[in-house]
Amino acid sequence: MDRVIFLCNLECELNNTDHHTDLNGVDRLIVRRGQPFIITLHLNSGGYQPGVDDFRLLAETGPYSSEKMGTKAIFSPDDSIDDTRWSASVSCSEGDYVSLSICSSPDASIGRYSLSLEQGDTVSLGEFVLLFNPWCPRDAVYMDTEEERAEYVLTQDGIIYRGDHKYLQGTPWNFGQFEEGILDACLRILDENPKYLRNAQDDCSGRRNPVYVSRVLSAMINCNDDKGVLWGKWSGDYKDGISPMYWRGSVEILRNWDTSSCTPVRYGQCWVFAAVACSVSRALGIPCRVITNYLSAHDTNSNLVIERYIDENGKLVKNYHCWVEGWMRRPDLLDGYDGWQASDPTPQEKSEGVYCCGPVPVKAIKEGQIVFKYDAPFVFTEVNADVVTYLQHKDGSVQKFLGTSQVGLCISTKSKGTDKREDITHLYKYPEGSKEEREAFERAGHQNKLLQQQLQPGLHIKIKVSPEMKKGCDFDVFAYVTNNTNAAKMCRLMFCSRATSYDGILGDDCGFKDLLNLKLAPGEGLEKQVPLKLNYCKYGSTLTKDNLIRLTAILFDYSTKEAILAMRTIVLENPEIKIKVLGEPKVNRKLAAEITVKNPLPEPLSSCCVFVEGANLTGGRTITETIGSSVAPGADAKVKVYFTPSHSGLRKLLVDFHSDNLGHVKGYRNVIIGK
């Protein structure tokens, strides 16, 4: 074919739409592996002659492409496409135009590619980005329903669960994986990972495998070993950065990291790490969702037992912890362990010398198969560990409490297709006390759980709370004590409350009652109620950003010298954000959102600001509006913001109201944008 290629049209709009990447834009070619795409060649003169005009195509990725390593493919057009390997065919030839259909291998490495035509000389045809393909049955990340692909790959916003297992709070999040510049930032994360910097050829070859890529992301979302995206911080002030509570989405975080020469963004905590990992995974084509585990344990000595001390800042059970799950096949493991794989980007413990965790099959955690790759013992502990509580006396001696604490409750994620919560605890654990649970513990060697025969003490204590506990209000909490023995008991009851953060770090006292001589009459079922008043004037200044208060009731039996413990964490409710969209929601039509928040505190709010963002609603940026005057107690803070939708469909408008005394109050409004 002695023809000179005058022009190569990569047909970006056609291909990107067909490959579900058009939300990234149509100015460059972004395709998914194992699925054909079309390019059009315009020859200088003469038409294409089959059998006469022979040429080869070259697709290459990485700085040292190699056929042996799977990062370079050389192939010639054939009569038809072979979707098991790199292949091409001439789909149409008319005059000076030749249309080629090209298909990548379903296990090709993802990343940036160059495409060339070779016939004597090599002619560059252009560049493209290749992603994982959940629509391709031969791809390791294949999902077989459109509803799942829509939720776990294409949906750009979601709900992340926080709060407490008895008061679950859904926080809206803008994943924004298709916003401008985000895909490039995600590809840069791969190129900045230490494995790539040490051996780019091996790393690019490894990008064929979603297990490998997930492990890289787990390490690179935190910056503990590398130039990762987020710097974690769980205590102190955040004046040299941004509080984790500020973030409403991943877009600003990823852009800040990318435009600052990969300087870690300050600061993140578990839900932020998990949300950013979800954004990057979806951007690269790995189906992903954020998981919240309530009462999550962190075992530092691998004995499946968490020890905590009441009078010391020992390791406490986290109120909740977030990680992600990615959907993929696991050909490196036994059959039956494909599907959701847990991966944790929050830096907690090292794995193979690096702060990362997973991916490990969720099913392996449920079955107690803790020898499976990667980091199964750690994740198993997070949902199954024993918690033993001790009281440390002033003389240094310790006393073990009667009573038990559970971990791994209400494991939650957003349901597909709705904003409702899906409880997936059953995917991680068998029902408590079941035969299957015992068998899983036996496989995991969880002897503490198997041998635990907790004696029921004669005295019982539990904590109950008011139906409404709103920030700014005074309310009561209650300790209920029962004497199930035949004799009267003289006891001491200590009932205290302390502000706490979600990861179990205790703050200042916000209410305390000490009854030295509590007399309990004998008789089964007779409860004595002891109230504890929590006043805003006391707890208001002690609260952390999480709005959590930990209640602890300790009952000492003078006759037996036994101590009985009850603990509960409560979440104070923030006021509701009211969001009213004004105007007819249509693409490229300016809309207004009227945002109202009532001040629930007995003091004025100052330094009030409203932050608004939403995928395909606010142009990939955050809209900020300041409320100049202070807001009196009981008064409304009201502001109007304007935005112009860029795409049709169901979108979420995320709103964050911030003030000095109230902190961050978040809400959202679903908006259906017409064409």
Side-chain angles (χ1 to χ4, degrees), residues 165-315:
H165 74 286
K166 292 188 177 180
Y167 184 73
L168 293 82
Q169 291 182 316
T171 300
W173 191 270
N174 176 21
F175 295 116
Q177 67 268 31
F178 299 120
E179 295 284 11
E180 184 179 355
I182 297 306
L183 178 57
D184 290 315
C186 296
L187 294 172
R188 188 173 188 179
I189 289 172
L190 298 181
D191 288 346
E192 290 292 337
N193 97 81
K195 294 180 180 180
Y196 177 87
L197 299 177
R198 286 195 299 267
N199 190 325
Q201 190 177 52
D202 283 351
D203 180 76
C204 288
S205 178
R207 296 179 191 179
R208 294 177 293 179
N209 185 354
V211 174
Y212 177 86
V213 172
S214 295
R215 195 150 172 81
V216 167
L217 296 182
S218 174
M220 281 297 294
I221 299 303
N222 70 75
C223 67
N224 284 44
D225 307 288
D226 42 49
K227 296 172 71 173
V229 176
L230 277 163
W231 188 307
K233 189 173 185 179
W234 285 265
S235 61
D237 63 60
Y238 303 98
K239 292 179 181 178
D240 57 343
I242 294 175
S243 165
M245 285 297 296
Y246 165 84
W247 306 115
R248 295 160 298 280
S250 307
V251 176
E252 188 175 354
I253 294 171
L254 289 167
R255 282 182 180 160
N256 287 352
W257 177 82
D258 190 37
T259 57
S260 64
S261 300
C262 308
T263 300
V265 176
R266 305 184 186 198
Y267 290 101
Q269 291 179 4
C270 73
W271 74 93
V272 184
F273 284 105
V276 173
C278 184
S279 297
V280 177
S281 297
R282 290 183 183 182
L284 297 178
I286 300 175
C288 191
R289 61 187 186 180
V290 176
I291 306 301
T292 302
N293 176 41
Y294 287 94
L295 296 181
S296 187
H298 177 179
D299 185 12
T300 57
N301 56 6
S302 301
N303 67 349
L304 299 176
V305 176
I306 311 301
E307 296 178 340
R308 62 183 180 187
Y309 295 81
I310 293 300
D311 287 346
E312 289 187 348
N313 292 323
K315 282 289 179 184

Side-chain angles (χ1 to χ4, degrees), residues 260-478:
S260 64
S261 300
C262 308
T263 300
V265 176
R266 305 184 186 198
Y267 290 101
Q269 291 179 4
C270 73
W271 74 93
V272 184
F273 284 105
V276 173
C278 184
S279 297
V280 177
S281 297
R282 290 183 183 182
L284 297 178
I286 300 175
C288 191
R289 61 187 186 180
V290 176
I291 306 301
T292 302
N293 176 41
Y294 287 94
L295 296 181
S296 187
H298 177 179
D299 185 12
T300 57
N301 56 6
S302 301
N303 67 349
L304 299 176
V305 176
I306 311 301
E307 296 178 340
R308 62 183 180 187
Y309 295 81
I310 293 300
D311 287 346
E312 289 187 348
N313 292 323
K315 282 289 179 184
L316 296 177
V317 175
K318 292 184 178 181
N319 212 53
Y320 65 87
H321 182 58
C322 297
W323 58 74
V324 293
E325 290 175 357
W327 180 273
M328 65 198 71
R329 288 197 289 266
R330 291 300 299 266
D332 56 324
L333 301 178
L334 298 174
D335 289 343
Y337 289 90
D338 298 338
W340 289 118
Q341 314 286 319
S343 182
D344 192 350
T346 300
Q348 297 186 89
E349 299 291 330
K350 287 191 174 184
S351 171
E352 297 181 340
V354 177
Y355 278 100
C356 68
C357 178
V360 58
V362 171
K363 184 179 178 182
I365 303 306
K366 182 174 183 177
E367 299 296 340
Q369 298 284 11
I370 63 174
V371 297
F372 280 16
K373 296 184 294 187
Y374 290 91
D375 310 305
F378 186 83
V379 181
F380 182 88
T381 294
E382 288 185 303
V383 299
N384 284 306
D386 275 336
V387 179
V388 179
T389 306
Y390 296 93
L391 173 67
Q392 183 156 356
H393 295 284
K394 292 180 180 180
D395 61 4
S397 62
V398 294
Q399 181 177 2
K400 184 177 179 179
F401 280 108
L402 296 175
T404 59
S405 295
Q406 290 180 294
V407 302
L409 301 180
C410 299
I411 304 175
S412 304
T413 191
K414 176 188 173 296
S415 295
K416 53 182 180 289
T418 78
D419 288 343
K420 295 179 180 178
R421 182 183 74 93
E422 180 180 357
D423 191 312
I424 59 169
T425 309
H426 65 284
L427 299 181
Y428 281 84
K429 307 170 73 170
Y430 283 106
E432 185 175 358
S434 67
K435 172 176 173 264
E436 292 85 358
E437 182 195 47
R438 182 178 183 85
E439 291 171 348
F441 287 156
E442 287 174 348
R443 282 189 289 270
H446 197 352
Q447 297 303 317
N448 295 294
K449 207 77 162 182
L450 292 169
L451 298 177
Q452 187 181 49
Q453 299 293 329
Q454 185 68 50
L455 296 174
Q456 293 299 317
L459 298 179
H460 293 269
I461 186 169
K462 58 186 175 182
I463 297 173
K464 295 183 180 181
V465 300
S466 305
E468 287 191 349
M469 296 174 288
K470 297 182 181 294
K471 190 173 181 180
C473 295
D474 301 339
F475 56 91
D476 290 319
V477 293
F478 305 92

Side-chain angles (χ1 to χ4, degrees), residues 35-37 57 59 73-90 100-106 115:
Q35 180 176 340
F37 60 93
L57 294 166
I74 303 173
F75 52 102
S76 300
D78 209 334
D79 294 336
S80 62
I81 288 290
D82 181 351
D83 61 8
T84 67
R85 60 179 179 85
W86 284 92
S87 62
S89 69
V90 176
L100 292 177
S101 181
I102 299 173
C103 188
S104 68
S105 167
L115 183 65

Side-chain angles (χ1 to χ4, degrees), residues 12-23:
C12 298
E13 184 171 0
L14 172 68
N15 290 316
N16 288 12
T17 302
D18 192 40
H19 284 245
H20 308 278
T21 63
D22 51 303
L23 286 173

